[in-house]
């Protein structure tokens, strides 16, 4: 009986990974200033092995995910000669930014099962969709959101953009757009063999406003009344300055 229990315990113990991801980042922080127009993250690393390289096709996937935010997707229809909002689909959580870079076509380096389990592809990151009974196909609203954010470079699928050298070293560059949400941008590196994930490394990139941007942001959140008065004063001063300038030009 004891031998059987010992054998079952050995089977239940996790096996030591033969391959391990060692990661590097060009920067772990992104500062948003008044003249911030985007940034580029250089992701690089190596694959550490404590045994000969296993058989099977190897793949490397890099994902960067911004803070999740709720999104309302509305449908517009033309009625009585004007465009109006009709149905709306509420999405409880969608990443404000999401990029996937792979060493090959995504369907080749990651199986469908692993994709669902790890939530790697863009659609798998969009969760908790609430739609009214008048909406028969909420998928169309999700596809519209993905299309809009892809055009704004907030969602990126970069297939074949991870370069792997000698089955050991890998590197890629991922562009961050100018419109970024503050917070921790979760970064994952997945190492796969024949579509199955054999190791994963996770870290975070901190994106924060600094300088005047940080002061204005904090003021609007912590003292909204004062922020409103200051905005009103600036608007009045700007209007008076423009009026005075036009008066001088007329004279």
């Amino acid at each position: 009986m004891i031998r059987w229990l010992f054998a079952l315990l050995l089977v239940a113990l996790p096996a030591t990974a033969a391959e391990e991801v060692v990661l590097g980042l060009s920067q772990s922080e992104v500062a948003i200033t008044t003249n911030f127009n985007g940034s580029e993250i250089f992701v690089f690393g190596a694959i550490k092995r404590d045994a000969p390289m296993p058989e099977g096709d190897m793949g490397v996937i890099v994902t960067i995910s911004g803070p999740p935010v709720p999104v309302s997707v509305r449908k517009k229809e033309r009625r009585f000669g004007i465009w109006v909002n009709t149905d709306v689909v509420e999405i409880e959580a969608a990443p404000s930014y999401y990029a996937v870079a792979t060493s090959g076509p995504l369907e080749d380096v990651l199986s469908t099962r692993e994709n669902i389990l790890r939530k790697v592809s863009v659609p798998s990151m969009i969760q908790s969709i609430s739609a009214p009974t008048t909406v028969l196909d909420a998928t169309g609203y999700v596809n519209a959101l993905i299309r809009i954010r892809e055009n704004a470079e907030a969602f990126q699928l970069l297939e074949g953009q991870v370069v792997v050298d000698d089955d050991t070293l890998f590197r890629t560059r991922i562009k961050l757009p100018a419109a970024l949400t503050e917070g921790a941008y979760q970064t994952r590196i997945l190492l796969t063999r024949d579509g199955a994930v054999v190791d994963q490394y996770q870290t975070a990139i901190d994106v924060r406003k600094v300088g005047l941007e940080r002061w204005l942001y904090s003021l609007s959140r912590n003292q909204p009344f004062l922020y409103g008065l200051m905005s009103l004063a600036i608007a009045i001063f700007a209007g008076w300055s423009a009026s005075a300038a036009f008066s001088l030009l007329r004279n």
Side-chain angles (χ1 to χ4, degrees):
M1 182 65 177
I2 295 177
R3 291 181 179 180
W4 278 106
L5 290 175
F6 183 70
L8 290 173
L9 180 61
L10 289 178
V11 172
L13 287 174
T16 303
E19 296 179 294
E20 182 181 355
V21 174
V22 181
L23 173 69
L25 292 172
S26 61
Q27 58 190 102
S28 59
E29 297 180 353
V30 174
I32 302 178
T33 59
T34 53
N35 59 350
F36 179 76
N37 60 355
S39 182
E40 188 178 61
I41 301 296
F42 180 44
V43 182
F44 60 94
I47 301 167
K48 178 183 176 183
R49 298 184 176 93
D50 55 9
M53 186 172 65
E55 296 181 356
D57 295 330
M58 187 186 77
V60 177
I61 302 172
V62 179
T63 71
I64 298 181
S65 177
V69 293
V71 181
S72 298
V73 183
R74 293 178 171 84
K75 180 180 180 181
K76 287 189 174 182
E77 292 183 355
R78 191 175 182 86
R79 294 183 179 178
F80 307 106
I82 59 174
W83 289 96
V84 296
N85 293 324
T86 54
D87 295 323
V88 59
V89 170
E90 301 290 344
I91 297 175
E92 183 178 329
S96 55
Y97 170 85
Y98 191 65
V100 183
T102 66
S103 58
L106 182 60
E107 63 270 15
D108 291 345
V109 298
L110 191 70
S111 68
T112 302
R113 178 181 178 278
E114 289 279 18
N115 185 17
I116 296 173
L117 180 64
R118 308 280 178 170
K119 292 181 169 42
V120 173
S121 64
V122 172
S124 66
M125 295 295 293
I126 299 175
Q127 305 170 9
S128 301
I129 302 170
S130 176
T133 55
T134 54
V135 176
L136 300 179
D137 182 19
T139 305
Y141 289 76
V142 174
N143 292 337
L145 173 64
I146 293 174
R147 183 174 63 255
I148 292 170
R149 294 200 170 178
E150 283 178 342
N151 293 336
E153 296 187 330
F155 287 169
Q156 302 177 38
L157 176 58
L158 309 170
E159 293 182 304
Q161 296 300 305
V162 177
V163 179
V164 181
D165 296 324
D166 300 325
D167 291 324
T168 301
L169 305 176
F170 62 87
R171 64 186 187 277
T172 188
R173 294 182 181 273
I174 298 179
K175 181 180 179 182
L176 299 178
L180 289 179
T181 301
E182 277 195 299
Y185 283 59
Q186 300 299 325
T187 303
R188 292 184 300 170
I189 290 82
L190 305 174
L191 176 64
T192 67
R193 286 282 178 187
D194 290 334
V197 176
V198 297
D199 192 44
Q200 173 177 318
Y201 183 93
Q202 185 164 336
T203 185
I205 301 171
D206 190 38
V207 176
R208 297 291 173 190
K209 292 182 174 70
V210 297
L212 181 61
E213 290 285 318
R214 162 55 58 185
W215 183 77
L216 290 174
Y217 179 82
S218 299
L219 184 65
S220 66
R221 294 296 185 274
N222 301 327
Q223 301 184 50
F225 180 73
L226 181 60
Y227 178 80
L229 288 178
M230 186 184 70
S231 300
L232 181 61
I234 292 175
I236 293 173
F237 177 77
W240 175 84
S241 299
S243 177
F246 280 120
S247 297
L248 290 175
L249 289 175
R250 290 194 192 100
N251 298 331

